[in-house]
Amino acid sequence: MPIIHDISQVLGDCSGFYLQQTRRLLNIGIDIDGLAISHLAFRTETLAEYLDIRRQLEPLCSANVENYWGGRPISKLLLVEPLQLSPSATTILIELIPPEHQDIYQNVYKMGLEQMGIVIGETFADFAETYAHLFTGQQDQGPFCQPYFITFPDNTNVKFYQCSLHDVCVLEGKRFDGFYHVLE
């Protein structure tokens, strides 16, 4: 098995995905320039693919948090080096998601690069009020995580968070201090 040195060898064109989603947001009046990118999410078709991609990504990461959500494992992988998405945007976290689950808003998800998280910060409530008419919905993922999201026609999503997914994990008491697997 060859050694992977670049995230794009595993996930595909992350910068292209970021630019596509950024353009889509601009087209509907949301400018994310200057906002932090919480994470990119990659969805697999099978559990075997999830385990293989997790194995390929971990050498590029310093730690992970893996837990069960919706009856399946989800891994948040902390990159050793920030992933450059554009000259002014990076992310340090990849969320790896195995096969889809039922969602009250959507039951079709794009496999591969499927989601980008944006950190809104302290103006989260004002942002939500301003752009409520554009949101597909809001998810309740616990006391520290209630992101709003927009689903595009190709079933990709942009989610808007008050704080990053990394910080949500820390607030929930999880630690990025090594590699832990709930599923081998």
Side-chain angles (χ1 to χ4, degrees), residues 83-95:
L83 176 60
Q84 196 75 43
L85 300 170
S86 78
S88 62
T90 62
T91 189
I92 61 163
L93 200 69
I94 302 296
E95 182 180 29

Side-chain angles (χ1 to χ4, degrees), residues 133-152:
H133 64 287
L134 298 174
F135 297 144
T136 304
Q138 182 180 21
Q139 292 178 315
D140 183 357
Q141 298 176 341
F144 306 108
C145 191
Q146 295 91 32
Y148 290 94
F149 65 96
I150 296 173
T151 302
F152 292 106

Side-chain angles (χ1 to χ4, degrees), residues 34-177:
L35 296 178
I37 307 305
S38 167
H39 64 282
L40 293 182
F42 188 91
R43 188 176 295 274
T44 65
E45 289 190 57
T46 66
L47 196 52
E49 182 186 12
Y50 169 86
L51 293 171
D52 184 51
I53 290 177
R54 185 186 71 185
R55 179 189 53 74
Q56 291 179 60
L57 288 175
E58 284 184 349
L60 303 171
C61 299
S62 60
N64 83 325
V65 165
E66 186 174 76
N67 61 303
Y68 280 101
W69 180 261
R72 69 212 199 290
I74 292 182
S75 192
K76 281 71 73 182
L77 296 135
L78 184 63
L79 299 169
V80 171
E81 298 287 329
L83 176 60
Q84 196 75 43
L85 300 170
S86 78
S88 62
T90 62
T91 189
I92 61 163
L93 200 69
I94 302 296
E95 182 180 29
L96 184 60
I97 309 169
E100 65 184 81
H101 66 291
Q102 291 293 336
D103 186 285
I104 62 170
Y105 297 104
Q106 169 187 357
N107 60 17
V108 175
Y109 290 94
K110 182 177 184 324
M111 297 300 122
L113 288 167
E114 180 263 328
Q115 174 200 129
M116 177 171 76
I118 310 297
V119 180
I120 303 302
E122 294 303 315
T123 62
F124 184 73
D126 292 336
F127 178 87
E129 185 177 321
T130 300
Y131 297 108
H133 64 287
L134 298 174
F135 297 144
T136 304
Q138 182 180 21
Q139 292 178 315
D140 183 357
Q141 298 176 341
F144 306 108
C145 191
Q146 295 91 32
Y148 290 94
F149 65 96
I150 296 173
T151 302
F152 292 106
D154 65 351
N155 296 313
T156 61
N157 295 277
V158 174
K159 291 186 179 181
F160 303 95
Y161 294 79
Q162 184 166 7
C163 63
S164 72
L165 186 56
H166 173 277
D167 292 349
V168 167
C169 291
V170 172
L171 288 167
E172 291 174 340
K174 298 172 178 80
R175 297 187 325 230
F176 286 90
D177 64 354

